[in-house]
């Protein structure tokens, strides 16, 4: 390992490299093409970022191209690599669809060495001849298994058209898709696969719960979780209209939350993610597309408000908790049919626990009494008591009546207030 790489690892605060970082570092330094598979949170961004940065030359223009599926992921990677690149006098530029196009074009004139881009904005600037890729040394496709077939075809055409003729390739994700790897291998035949899912040691213990809930029960569970102290929770949805409906319910009950949607303005999305990262809100409501690849520290739990349709999505969602040796929790909510389908989908890959967490002891005792004690009304209780013990029902005291009137006034006063 050369001195520049050692310096960057020290700057990044990694006294020891993770399994995936050790596996791909030397091949990338040598300009070889690699596939890196490792769990979410295992340090894949630095695994490719640090060795590749040391191969770049200042003031030469774009030499490292990182293609990502989501705008927030592009911003995250840009922010991670920028301080490291500055130590080597290299510039980093993010190209995303929601940002000002002309400002991005102007910044390209500064010859940044690193481009982090979503595919749509990247293709537009290439077609307009605003971005030249002739000096690209390495192409990284992060979260490669989330790209559609047509997206992969677009990247392959860049290679076929000579735009990436001299570049080696890096594919990185938390799950392995052999079909996608085969598609890229047609144009990068020397791809070496480093699958470190089983050897990675960064994951902590994670408990996966099954919660039998209908819609209202799911919302009530989120309300309680959102009020718990020291919680940082990803809440995943399959449909944006369901997410918006849940957000409205949380507003009505004054539960703070952040919402990350792909159709929101960039400023709004950045503010929502910032509030969640800084602990101003406990809940981040999001979809898979909006949150793909996001790295947030100290996520205590993941909630699948709507269950995923495939195991790849489940792995990406749940990989956000239990990172770097910390414990984590996953709550899967649905009806009996949904949960049965999830068991079948996951098979033996995940141990699922049917349990009801977050139930306070008093409520558990109440449920136990309701189930094990025969239901009796006041007439039954009076009939079982000796005649001499019968006492007239007490009327409410003046203090109790005053408190009830006061509570009704408070409820009326707070109607319509939102967080």
């Amino acid at each position: 390992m050369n001195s520049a790489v050692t310096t960057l690892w020290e700057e990044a605060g990694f006294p020891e490299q993770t399994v995936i970082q050790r596996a791909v570092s030397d091949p990338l330094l040598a300009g070889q093409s690699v596939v890196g598979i490792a769990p979410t949170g295992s340090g894949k961004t630095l695994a490719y970022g640090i060795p590749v940065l040391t191969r770049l030359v200042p003031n030469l223009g774009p030499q490292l191209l990182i293609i990502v599926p989501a705008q927030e992921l592009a911003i995250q990677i840009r922010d991670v690599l920028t301080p490291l690149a500055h130590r080597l006098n290299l510039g980093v530029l993010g190209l995303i669809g929601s940002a000002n196009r002309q400002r991005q074009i102007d910044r390209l004139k500064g010859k940044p060495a690193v481009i982090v881009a979503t595919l749509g904005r990247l293709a537009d600037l290439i077609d307009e001849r605003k971005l030249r890729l002739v000096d690209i040394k390495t192409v990284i496709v992060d979260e490669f298994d989330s790209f559609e077939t047509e997206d992969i075809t677009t990247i392959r055409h860049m290679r076929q058209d000579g735009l990436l003729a001299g570049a080696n390739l890096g594919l990185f994700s938390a799950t392995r898709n052999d079909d996608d790897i085969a598609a890229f291998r047609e144009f990068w035949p020397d791809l070496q696969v480093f699958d470190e899912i089983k050897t990675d040691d960064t994951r902590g213990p994670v408990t996966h719960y099954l919660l039998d809930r209908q819609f209202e029960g799911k919302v009530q569970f989120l309300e309680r979780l959102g009020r718990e102290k020291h919680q940082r929770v990803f809440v995943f949805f399959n449909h944006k209209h369901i997410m918006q409906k849940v957000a409205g319910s949380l507003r009505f009950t004054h539960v703070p939350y952040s919402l990350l949607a792909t159709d929101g303005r960039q400023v709004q999305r950045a503010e929502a993610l910032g509030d969640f990262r800084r602990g101003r809100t406990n809940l981040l409501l999001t979809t898979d597309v909006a949150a793909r690849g996001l790295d947030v520290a100290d996520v205590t739990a993941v909630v699948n408000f709507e269950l995923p349709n495939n195991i790849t999505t489940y792995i990406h969602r749940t990989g956000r908790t239990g990172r770097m040796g910390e414990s984590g929790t996953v709550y899967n909510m649905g009806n009996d049919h949904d949960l049965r389908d999830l068991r079948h989908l996951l098979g033996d890959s995940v141990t699922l626990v049917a349990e009801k967490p977050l139930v306070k002891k008093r409520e558990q005792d109440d449920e136990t009494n309701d189930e094990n004690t025969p239901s009796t009304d006041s007439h039954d209780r009076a009939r079982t008591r000796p005649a001499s013990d019968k006492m007239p029902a007490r009327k409410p005291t003046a203090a109790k009546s005053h408190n009830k009137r006061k509570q009704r006034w408070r409820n009326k006063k707070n109607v319509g207030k939102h967080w």
Side-chain angles (χ1 to χ4, degrees):
M1 185 180 298
N2 61 45
S3 59
V5 173
T6 302
T7 300
L8 290 184
W9 280 118
E10 293 174 352
E11 180 74 15
F14 273 75
E16 294 184 6
Q17 296 180 40
T18 64
V19 174
I20 188 63
Q21 291 168 351
R22 290 194 299 269
V24 302
S25 181
D26 287 341
L28 286 174
L29 278 171
Q32 299 172 9
S33 296
V34 303
V35 180
I37 312 295
T40 301
S42 57
K44 292 189 292 294
T45 300
L46 294 180
Y48 63 72
I50 287 181
V52 173
L53 284 176
T54 61
R55 300 180 63 227
L56 310 185
V57 179
N59 302 317
L60 185 61
Q63 300 158 68
L64 168 59
L65 174 62
I66 304 172
I67 303 173
V68 298
Q71 298 185 38
E72 274 68 33
L73 180 56
I75 295 170
Q76 174 181 290
I77 293 173
R78 179 202 66 189
D79 292 345
V80 169
L81 296 185
T82 293
L84 302 177
H86 283 176
R87 288 190 62 89
L88 302 173
N89 297 317
L90 303 170
V92 181
L93 176 62
L95 300 178
I96 58 177
S98 63
N100 185 282
R101 178 192 297 265
Q102 187 56 50
R103 190 175 301 151
Q104 292 175 349
I105 293 173
D106 292 340
R107 290 178 177 174
L108 282 171
K109 297 176 183 178
K111 296 183 178 181
V114 182
I115 300 294
V116 188
T118 53
L119 193 55
R121 177 54 57 91
L122 175 68
D124 288 346
L125 294 178
I126 291 174
D127 290 343
E128 296 172 10
R129 299 183 183 277
K130 302 296 184 182
L131 174 62
R132 299 174 68 251
L133 303 179
V134 292
D135 294 317
I136 294 293
K137 297 180 179 180
T138 301
V139 180
I140 301 293
V141 184
D142 207 335
E143 301 291 343
F144 74 91
D145 61 335
S146 66
F147 285 92
E148 300 293 336
T149 302
E150 60 185 27
D151 297 327
I152 296 175
T153 301
T154 299
I155 299 171
R156 283 161 29 117
H157 281 170
M158 293 180 188
R159 172 79 164 189
Q160 190 175 18
D161 294 342
L163 298 176
L164 305 174
N168 64 306
L169 175 69
L171 304 177
F172 288 85
S173 186
T175 58
R176 178 168 177 163
N177 187 316
D178 288 330
D179 291 337
D180 288 347
I181 294 174
F184 280 106
R185 187 170 266 139
E186 290 184 28
F187 291 89
W188 282 273
D190 60 339
L191 268 175
Q192 304 177 63
V193 178
F194 298 91
D195 189 339
E196 306 298 340
I197 292 293
K198 294 181 179 180
T199 58
D200 180 81
D201 55 2
T202 62
R203 298 286 289 160
V206 177
T207 305
H208 300 251
Y209 288 107
L210 296 173
L211 305 183
D212 192 343
R213 298 284 196 282
Q214 300 298 328
F215 182 84
E216 292 301 326
K218 294 180 181 181
V219 175
Q220 290 171 6
F221 180 82
L222 285 187
E223 291 172 359
R224 295 184 58 186
L225 193 58
R227 292 190 175 104
E228 290 279 325
K229 293 183 179 179
H230 311 299
Q231 292 285 342
R232 186 169 292 168
V233 184
F234 270 89
V235 185
F236 281 99
F237 297 83
N238 300 337
H239 303 92
K240 284 187 287 189
H241 71 278
I242 299 294
M243 181 172 66
Q244 294 290 353
K245 184 177 181 180
V246 171
S249 298
L250 294 176
R251 278 197 305 273
F252 184 77
T253 53
H254 315 298
V255 177
Y257 67 89
S258 294
L259 189 148
L260 192 64
T262 55
D263 54 358
R265 293 176 57 231
Q266 179 60 36
V267 174
Q268 293 173 330
R269 295 204 302 268
E271 182 180 356
L273 191 56
D275 287 345
F276 182 65
R277 279 186 164 136
R278 287 187 286 270
R280 294 176 181 172
T281 57
N282 286 358
L283 307 176
L284 178 66
L285 280 54
T286 185
T287 60
D288 296 294
V289 174
R292 196 62 185 266
L294 284 182
D295 183 11
V296 179
D298 302 323
V299 174
T300 56
V302 169
V303 173
N304 286 317
F305 195 95
E306 295 181 277
L307 300 179
N309 299 318
N310 57 72
I311 191 170
T312 297
T313 301
Y314 189 89
I315 291 172
H316 278 283
R317 288 184 181 184
T318 61
R320 289 174 171 81
T321 188
R323 301 168 64 166
M324 302 310 292
E326 297 294 328
S327 61
T329 307
V330 176
Y331 300 115
N332 298 295
M333 299 196 292
N335 59 34
D336 183 64
H337 177 75
D338 297 330
L339 299 178
R340 190 164 56 246
D341 286 347
L342 182 65
R343 289 191 190 96
H344 179 73
L345 176 70
L346 300 179
D348 297 330
S349 61
V350 175
T351 301
L352 298 170
V353 180
E355 194 171 324
K356 296 182 179 180
L358 292 182
V359 177
K360 295 180 180 179
K361 186 178 187 303
R362 190 177 70 179
E363 294 181 355
Q364 290 175 332
D365 292 341
D366 291 342
E367 291 180 2
T368 302
N369 291 336
D370 290 342
E371 293 175 1
N372 299 332
T373 305
S375 176
T376 57
D377 56 22
S378 59
H379 176 71
D380 293 332
R381 289 194 296 271
R383 192 170 53 203
T384 59
R385 182 182 298 165
S388 60
D389 281 350
K390 291 183 181 179
M391 298 176 64
R394 293 183 180 179
K395 294 182 179 180
T397 64
K400 288 184 178 179
S401 298
H402 174 74
N403 289 338
K404 288 183 178 179
R405 288 196 301 273
K406 189 175 181 181
Q407 185 61 47
R408 285 197 298 270
W409 176 83
R410 285 175 177 169
N411 292 341
K412 184 176 181 181
K413 181 181 178 183
N414 289 327
V415 169
K417 284 196 172 183
H418 301 290
W419 188 271

